[in-house]
Amino acid sequence: DPGADASLCGMAATGASGTNAVRYGTMRPNVLNLRVVLPDGRLLHTAGPGRQPRKRAAGYDLTSLFVGSEGTLGFLTQATLRLHPLPEATAATVASFPSVGAAVACTVQVLQAAVPVARIEFLDEVMADACGRFSGMGLPAAATLLLELHGSRRSLAEQQQQTEEIVRQNGGSGLAWAEGLEEREQLWSMRHNAWYAALALRPGCQGYSTDVCVPISHLPDVVVETKQDLQASSITGPMVGHVGDGNFHCILVFNSQDQEEAQRIHAFTHRLGRRALAAGGTCTGEHGVGLGKRALLQEELGQEGLDTLRSIKAALDPHNLMNPGKVL
């Protein structure tokens, strides 16, 4: 369930994911085979032509090599994907919390309790207010979780009870389960329009989205520290995230003509990346490295890791034709 303009091969190229990743995984475990045009024009099937086993131990994992390669090793032209069955029953809800820390702590506890949640999305109070006004749903201006459960009708009732108890223990309120398709689509449409809702906070300004991913155990501290950093830096940066994966985004809205503000945005994004690395996480959970996070990639992998990536790049693309300058 990615953004509206995503393509399958684009998702594979960036190693991206979406709101269902906590239950069904990111692109990486869901891609079984890729058809790739290599820089010299040869056609590669990463798992062999026509192959689609759910697991394999034959040689190097070429599929995973190209997932997340960001166009630097070849053109992805076809993807063979793992399919998941549709659940018998689905229920979604919204819960509001007294603080960002309480909402994220609730997420951690839901996962530790092994509730098989399908989606658990976080909005800070700025993002919740913006999404509520943009969509006309009128969410409270409070830290918010959007949750969705999948399963049989019998198992769903048990999951709902468990979730409600954990939400209440963390001061959450406003639980009302939506099981109808129309209600659920309205809820997730509001979440998917978060980018436009954030931009509406400062009409005429530019948006810049960045993301990090940290181990679940460190998520509450990192989110709270990031929130404090945004406030101290006087940055408009509503937070939204696939927190069930430990992954969250800051949508930074700023005046690109204001050099001082642009500089503050740049400094914040690097502090955010380094905060995630210090917590044992990664500088990007799904957006990729591109140009902006090349320095952070080196800090994350170390010189040996970066040298290995460069060796692979040189072997497959000796003339540096594919996305030159990106990632490495």
Side-chain angles (χ1 to χ4, degrees):
D1 180 39
D5 60 348
S7 67
L8 291 176
C9 287
M11 291 281 288
T14 53
S17 57
T19 59
N20 277 302
V22 64
R23 174 75 176 265
Y24 302 105
T26 66
M27 285 301 290
R28 197 171 296 278
N30 284 295
V31 177
L32 303 178
N33 202 346
L34 287 169
R35 185 177 68 190
V36 182
V37 179
L38 296 173
D40 61 7
R42 289 178 298 157
L43 196 62
L44 168 70
H45 296 264
T46 57
R51 309 290 177 198
Q52 47 189 314
R54 290 179 67 89
K55 64 179 183 180
R56 59 191 297 277
Y60 298 152
D61 189 350
L62 295 178
T63 303
S64 288
L65 175 64
F66 281 89
V67 173
S69 60
E70 298 187 44
T72 61
L73 300 179
F75 291 114
L76 311 189
T77 61
Q78 186 182 80
T80 302
L81 304 178
R82 183 187 304 252
L83 298 180
H84 298 270
L86 291 173
E88 177 189 355
T90 302
T93 191
V94 180
S96 299
F97 292 84
S99 69
V100 164
V104 181
C106 178
T107 300
V108 175
Q109 291 168 28
V110 166
L111 297 171
Q112 289 174 337
V115 178
V117 63
R119 310 191 206 191
I120 184 162
E121 294 285 303
F122 163 73
L123 312 174
D124 74 352
E125 72 279 4
V126 180
M127 190 79 262
D129 185 47
C131 284
R133 286 190 282 122
F134 189 81
S135 67
M137 289 186 68
L139 281 182
T144 300
L145 289 182
L146 282 61
L147 300 103
E148 186 168 281
L149 305 172
H150 295 175
S152 66
R153 297 198 180 280
R154 181 180 298 178
S155 68
L156 204 62
E158 183 180 346
Q159 292 176 38
Q160 286 173 291
Q161 183 181 354
Q162 279 183 285
T163 303
E164 288 170 6
E165 289 175 4
I166 296 170
V167 167
R168 281 195 294 269
Q169 287 167 9
N170 287 278
S173 60
L175 277 172
W177 293 96
E179 298 190 17
L181 179 61
E182 189 174 338
E183 276 185 287
R184 288 189 286 107
E185 285 187 342
Q186 185 181 21
L187 176 67
W188 292 111
S189 174
M190 175 193 68
R191 163 62 183 87
H192 285 313
N193 284 324
W195 171 259
Y196 305 107
L199 292 181
L201 292 172
R202 294 182 65 183
C205 285
Q206 180 179 338
Y208 178 80
S209 184
T210 188
D211 84 307
V212 294
C213 188
V214 299
I216 294 294
S217 58
H218 291 283
L219 185 63
D221 289 341
V222 173
V223 169
V224 169
E225 289 170 18
T226 301
K227 183 70 177 173
Q228 293 168 344
D229 192 354
L230 285 166
Q231 292 169 339
S233 304
S234 300
I235 291 173
T236 303
M239 297 171 66
V240 59
H242 318 308
V243 283
D245 298 325
N247 180 208
F248 68 93
H249 312 257
C250 295
I251 302 177
L252 309 170
V253 186
F254 68 105
N255 179 1
S256 59
Q257 303 305 309
D258 184 335
Q259 290 302 310
E260 189 275 333
E261 185 177 16
Q263 202 56 35
R264 278 189 285 122
I265 295 292
H266 178 75
F268 168 81
T269 59
H270 278 263
R271 286 196 304 274
L272 175 60
R274 292 191 171 103
R275 186 177 299 122
L277 295 179
T282 175
C283 66
T284 175
E286 60 182 13
H287 285 183
V289 172
L291 294 171
K293 293 189 174 180
R294 289 182 300 180
L296 291 171
L297 179 66
Q298 178 158 3
E299 293 176 29
E300 181 170 330
L301 295 182
Q303 193 58 52
E304 293 77 11
L306 208 59
D307 287 346
T308 302
L309 291 186
R310 287 186 174 130
S311 296
I312 294 170
K313 167 73 169 171
L316 292 178
D317 184 17
H319 301 296
N320 197 27
L321 300 176
M322 308 300 298
N323 250 357
K326 295 291 182 69
V327 184
L328 302 173

